[in-house]
Amino acid sequence: MNRTVLVHGDGRRRAPRAVPAVSLAAVTALAVLAGCAAIPTEGPVAQGDVVLTENDALFLQVYGPDANATPEQIVRGFLSAQAAGVNEVFATAREFLTERASQEWDPYGQVTVYSGDLGLTMSHAPSADGDAEDAAPATEQPAPDLATVDQVVLSGPANVAGVVDVAGQYVEASKDARQDVSFVLTKDDAGQWRIDEVADGVLVSQPNFASVYRSTPVYFLSQDLTTLVPELRWFPQRNIATNAVRALLAGPSEWMRDAVVSGAPAGTSLSVEAVAVDSAGTASVDLTGPVLAADEDQRALLSAQLEATLQRISGVSDVALTVGGAALTVKPHPDLERDPAPAGPALGVREGTVVSLDGRQLSPVVGMPSLVSLDPTAIAVRDGVVVARLGRDRLARLATGGEVTDLLAEPGVVAPSVDRFGWVWTASERADGGLIAVRASDGMRMDVVVDWLAGQVVRQVRVSRDGARVAVLSAGPEGTQVEVAGIVRDPDGGPQRVNGSVPVGGSLASASDAAWVDEVTVAVLGDPSDGQAPGVATSVSLVPVGGQTESLQPVESADGIAAGRGKRAVYVRTGSGDLFTRSTTGTNWSLVTAGVELFTFPG
């Protein structure tokens, strides 16, 4: 029997466990979703891709096929070996293939992650002339007699969770995504079953993916060079530092391009294809010549990016930069903000009065105008700019002198979001896609055409606290979509355009509200009107921008969500005005206060 063993990073072993099986045909079916090329696991291992020491880290240790293994055992063993293959150039996985398939198979393509188990059904392989009897569905065929046949097919449905592309970007699959998959196996000259046809790339179960891969943010810079902006990537944990630096030097993904910049000069790469991490926690990054052409300010920014990226990896505390082995002179880099916290207290509305939250106490904000007769339906704040939606067709700025200044009149205007440059973002629910940005200081309006919103009705707009990205909830023929895109700005911070988007939260059934929780996570509230009866608990989810959605405990009758900084600072408001936050254990919700009509955090 093929064996799979979980091994601790310090060499301790765990007992074997069963590993689910599924076919690689799902990889091909999802190529459009994640793109093609090679997963970032290549590299001259002999030159020292470094294994970071993590006492509780696990990696998979697998073994080749046993003698006289059945087709089912061969397929399951091959899938287990694929997961471990990133650590040993897939040598064991190739033992489950015929010689021809081993030579043709390219595992360095995308990684498809599947959930649950798969019941494989064995059937006769189709004949060369496509005989109808041989090609009939497996359910209509008797199980083949393995003693009398030389070729069989194992097939079954796979539940796809997501795909990791060449750059390490994870795209979550849509809810209930399934792919029919199959393997063709044949006997070799020694009478042993081997896989004869296999698609490029690898397929990994969710438990094995969690054991082998790790997510890490790769940092770029905001256009005004004040803030670090992350892209979440997934790499094999054994060479995560090397792959993270490669990703940084290669630049941001298309959806973030032009919304961020990098201090890495074009053409800069690793001169030694490994980032070594010594026992003191210093990561040695040896770069190629183009970095020498950069001025000292650019080098300082690159150094800041590398430090921010590598120091998020376990075991790394410092970074040493060299070029061809010689130390690279870098001046002290500027203080760059990372994962900005809300600037100021949370605000809400109670009985028409603007209030701030201090612990569990709500206090009126001195000087704010009364909203009793203005029908406030949403509120946003950032750096002293307070904006309210009045009714459903009007945005107004609220000043501490009691003034109410109209900013926008638009049918079906969505709840506002104020960015750090003083622009108020919104959209019209009655328009066909597109976003609207209004400068809070003077009411200047910018209509932002967004191609990927064509045919969609925007429901919610939320700009990240770094100001470089925007999360958009929209509805269309395919249901609710949650997407994140980069914001391209002019030198003064004014929005010029929004890039193409990356889909997130693909497994969500619905979405009605959202809030940025941290630099890579959006909290999303389900739509209580999505076929649910009044009073039914509404879903609450944490959605990484490049990861798998995490479901939290639902909240009955919830209709609004807000977030401070961090996953424990998520707040949910119900239709009756009860405000809840996550308990100290993080598993349940704790009542903060009651009678809150609206609630938001700065940014």
Side-chain angles (χ1 to χ4, degrees), residues 81-386:
Q82 283 188 38
V86 296
N87 299 327
E88 41 105 80
V89 296
F90 299 96
T92 303
R94 294 183 190 278
E95 295 180 22
F96 293 87
L97 306 177
T98 63
E99 183 177 351
R100 179 185 66 83
S102 177
Q103 293 175 352
E104 295 180 355
W105 178 52
D106 179 10
Y108 299 105
Q110 63 204 28
V111 179
T112 300
V113 184
Y114 68 94
S115 62
D117 203 348
L118 175 67
L120 296 173
T121 300
M122 191 187 313
S123 61
H124 293 274
S127 62
D129 58 2
D131 183 270
E133 180 179 354
D134 287 340
T139 55
E140 301 176 8
Q141 300 180 29
D145 181 356
L146 298 182
T148 62
V149 298
D150 294 325
Q151 194 175 59
V152 296
V153 175
L154 269 72
S155 61
N159 299 316
V160 181
V163 173
V164 181
D165 71 6
V166 56
Q169 179 174 299
Y170 187 110
V171 176
E172 186 178 13
S174 61
K175 182 177 175 61
D176 299 325
R178 292 164 68 88
Q179 297 292 334
D180 290 330
V181 298
S182 64
F183 289 96
V184 176
L185 294 93
T186 187
K187 288 181 179 177
D188 62 16
D189 294 340
Q192 301 296 307
W193 289 104
R194 294 293 182 265
I195 299 169
D196 194 46
E197 297 179 14
V198 58
D200 290 339
V202 298
L203 189 68
V204 182
S205 69
Q206 282 185 315
N208 283 347
F209 183 77
S211 295
V212 176
Y213 289 81
R214 291 290 181 270
S215 64
T216 190
V218 175
Y219 287 97
F220 301 98
L221 302 160
S222 62
Q223 290 176 276
D224 64 353
L225 305 181
T226 65
T227 309
L228 290 159
V229 183
E231 250 204 277
L232 195 66
R233 307 289 183 92
W234 291 82
F235 304 116
Q237 63 174 315
R238 287 179 65 91
N239 57 355
I240 190 170
T242 300
N243 282 316
V245 173
R246 287 175 181 161
L248 188 158
L249 297 177
S253 298
E254 189 67 31
W255 71 272
M256 280 186 64
R257 199 152 294 158
D258 298 329
V260 294
V261 296
S262 177
T268 304
S269 62
L270 285 170
S271 62
V272 176
E273 287 297 321
V275 173
V277 182
D278 64 23
S279 59
T282 298
S284 298
V285 181
D286 197 56
L287 302 172
T288 54
V291 73
L292 296 175
D295 61 34
E296 60 179 11
D297 290 331
Q298 188 176 2
R299 291 186 196 176
L301 291 171
L302 173 59
S303 175
Q305 288 177 255
L306 287 166
E307 287 185 10
T309 298
L310 289 169
Q311 288 176 358
R312 294 298 301 275
I313 297 172
S314 177
V316 179
S317 58
D318 197 9
V319 178
L321 298 181
T322 56
V323 177
L328 179 65
T329 302
V330 179
K331 74 174 188 179
H333 52 70
D335 291 330
L336 299 171
E337 194 166 14
R338 186 187 69 77
D339 195 11
L347 296 187
V349 175
R350 171 186 267 178
E351 298 179 348
T353 299
V354 178
V355 294
S356 64
L357 180 68
D358 182 10
R360 294 179 180 266
Q361 299 297 318
L362 293 173
S363 304
V365 178
V366 177
M368 277 284 128
S370 172
L371 304 179
V372 171
S373 62
L374 297 179
D375 187 22
T377 55
I379 189 170
V381 58
R382 176 72 189 246
D383 299 330
V385 176
V386 182

Side-chain angles (χ1 to χ4, degrees), residues 172 505 507-508 521-524 539-544 547-553 567-568 582 586-587:
E172 186 178 13
S507 63
L508 296 175
T521 311
V522 179
V524 176
S539 65
V540 183
S541 303
L542 297 177
V543 179
Q548 196 71 29
T549 294
E550 175 188 353
S551 296
L552 304 181
Q553 189 76 14
K567 296 178 180 179
R568 293 292 180 88
R582 299 186 73 185
T587 56

